[in-house]
Amino acid sequence: MNDAAVLLDELTAQMGLGGPAARSVVRVWALSGVERVRLADGRNVIFKYAREPFTGEAAVLRYVAVQGVPVPRVVASIVHEGVLGMLLEDLGESVRVAAAADGAKAAVAVHDAEIPDFLRVLDRAGLIELPRQALKSLVELWSRGRWMTAVDLDGVLAAIEEQADRLSAGTDLPPFGLCHSEFHPTSLHVGAANWRLLDWARAFVGPGLLDLASWQGTTGLVDPAALRRLIWAYIRTGGHGEASRPRAGLQPEMWALGWHRLWAVAWYLEQATTWINDPTQDTFVEQVVRRHLGEAVTCLNISIPSR
């Protein structure tokens, strides 16, 4: 991302310092990147930069810090020509991989925070809209001559849309409020004395069960038993007891995994049409979308009529 050097110069100038003494890349994605930077005064910081739709992370980090959620401290931030740049506290290397017990504790802290008024809301109406959004993105891809091998997915998404109102029942049951969104073990930094929750770029307001469902990621098959164990660990740690209640006639882990997969499908298709829009990735992304749709259908027990 060519803007990174400009952003870093502006951030160091904001701090009254010259340019960085040294930079090393930690990781880079299509829409964002992370570097470890040594400042001119000898301090080490993390430099993170991101394009839309991830430019609100600094505001979220500052908000949740005030709420008492352990996060890296924002040293400086700026948005320049639609790109966010942040200098964050350097936490060093984790002492170990975050375990489910760590995730349960972190989820309690997130869901106990006051609901902010500046984040997008994924309420019941928002869940109902997900299959419609996904189908709209799919039609847009077809209009560009892409994803022509996925013409069968319209029937699946239409069937899900028809049943979405019934299946969204229970969305507003606790925990409902601040959600991290990228709630994975890799987002939880475990230090020698404390932990910090990273990567808040896609935070939203909605059902906290989606956070718990995201803990197991999306690269492997859904694991309802593991999510059920995490839900009970969350409750024992002080989380909302209602997290164990059935929703829409489904066990909470099945409801959460099903809707989490639909939410992921809508996001992947939005990336394909808007944020990344890279036709060379279409075959891979289509495979991911198909798998997630299949898992959503299974978890939510959706009836798909034969064609």
Side-chain angles (χ1 to χ4, degrees), residues 19 38 87 97 102 117 166 172 181 186 211 215 275 283 305 307:
R38 180 176 292 276
L87 295 182
V97 176
D102 302 305
D117 59 6
R166 172 180 62 82
D172 55 353
S181 176
T186 53
D211 267 351
W215 183 256
W275 304 116
T283 299
R307 298 176 71 95

Side-chain angles (χ1 to χ4, degrees), residues 110-111 113-116 173-180 204-208 211:
V110 173
H111 300 160
E114 293 292 326
I115 297 177
L173 286 174
F176 185 95
L178 177 64
C179 293
H180 178 274
F204 65 96
V205 173
D211 267 351

Side-chain angles (χ1 to χ4, degrees), residues 92-168:
E93 298 299 324
S94 296
V95 298
R96 59 177 174 81
V97 176
D102 302 305
K105 183 177 180 180
V108 171
V110 173
H111 300 160
D112 278 352
E114 293 292 326
I115 297 177
D117 59 6
F118 59 90
L119 291 178
R120 69 191 187 283
V121 177
L122 187 65
D123 53 12
R124 185 174 184 180
L127 288 185
I128 293 171
E129 185 66 20
L130 287 178
R132 187 177 299 118
Q133 289 175 352
L135 186 55
K136 181 180 178 181
S137 295
L138 196 57
V139 170
E140 174 62 27
L141 288 166
W142 291 337
S143 74
R144 302 177 192 178
R146 297 165 56 188
W147 285 57
M148 303 310 295
T149 56
V151 292
D152 58 308
L153 296 185
D154 61 343
V156 179
L157 287 168
I160 295 172
E161 183 181 352
E162 289 178 1
Q163 300 171 64
D165 181 69
R166 172 180 62 82
L167 292 169
S168 64

